[in-house]
Amino acid sequence: MRVSRLVFAVIMVAAIVFVVVGSRKKEPVSYAYNPAAEVHLAGVVQEVEEFYCPVTDDRGAHLLLQTEQGPVMVHVSIARFLRAHQFSFKPGERIEVQGARVKFKGGESVIAREITRGQEKFIFRDAAGKPVWKEE
């Protein structure tokens, strides 16, 4: 009788731990490029930032783009790719971005596939979203 109560108690504790731990798990976050989520944005660069980013799993280049709908974080590429090709962006520049929407830090962001500035076109990913810097 005592053994069965002990087994029952152990099972109950294990079940409670399983429920508590299971309920705290967050949904996995995917930063994969999704061509079905592609959008076209136009706006003015407000900020240019470099920071470690889970989208590229590296130090990434990011633009805060002011659009008519509000500000949008644009994940451009790994920072060293921009430097290697002498690409740079500055606040105040008007650009257009073709890319895929993704949730990032609770808000909407865009992973850039290509950026157009005037007559210049910068391509960062192929049509499927594969980064061009991985081909180098």
Side-chain angles (χ1 to χ4, degrees):
M1 182 87 117
R2 188 170 218 168
V3 173
S4 63
R5 284 187 182 174
L6 181 61
V7 170
F8 179 76
V10 168
I11 291 172
M12 289 303 295
V13 168
I16 291 169
V17 168
F18 180 77
V19 168
V20 169
V21 170
S23 67
R24 289 187 179 176
K25 285 185 180 180
K26 295 180 180 176
E27 289 185 34
V29 178
S30 174
Y31 297 113
Y33 192 92
N34 180 1
E38 275 200 347
V39 294
H40 180 86
L41 302 174
V44 176
V45 176
Q46 297 296 304
E47 295 178 29
V48 179
E49 298 180 84
E50 279 188 23
F51 54 84
Y52 171 79
C53 184
V55 171
T56 58
D57 194 28
D58 203 329
R59 186 163 181 82
H62 302 81
L63 305 175
L64 182 60
L65 185 66
Q66 183 62 47
T67 70
E68 287 184 5
Q69 292 76 31
V72 176
M73 175 66 69
V74 178
H75 303 267
V76 180
S77 73
I78 59 174
R80 67 179 175 273
F81 177 77
L82 286 181
R83 285 192 292 277
H85 293 279
Q86 299 177 354
F87 297 157
S88 65
F89 298 95
K90 295 177 180 57
E93 293 180 319
R94 178 165 290 285
I95 63 171
E96 294 181 33
V97 178
Q98 185 74 28
R101 286 205 184 273
V102 65
K103 291 272 188 204
F104 181 72
K105 293 187 176 181
E108 293 286 328
S109 294
V110 171
I111 300 173
R113 183 166 60 83
E114 61 183 51
I115 295 178
T116 304
R117 177 179 60 199
Q119 298 300 313
E120 298 176 288
K121 184 176 280 195
F122 307 94
I123 298 176
F124 301 103
R125 290 169 177 80
D126 66 15
K130 181 181 175 197
V132 297
W133 59 86
K134 293 200 174 185
E135 297 171 1
E136 294 184 340

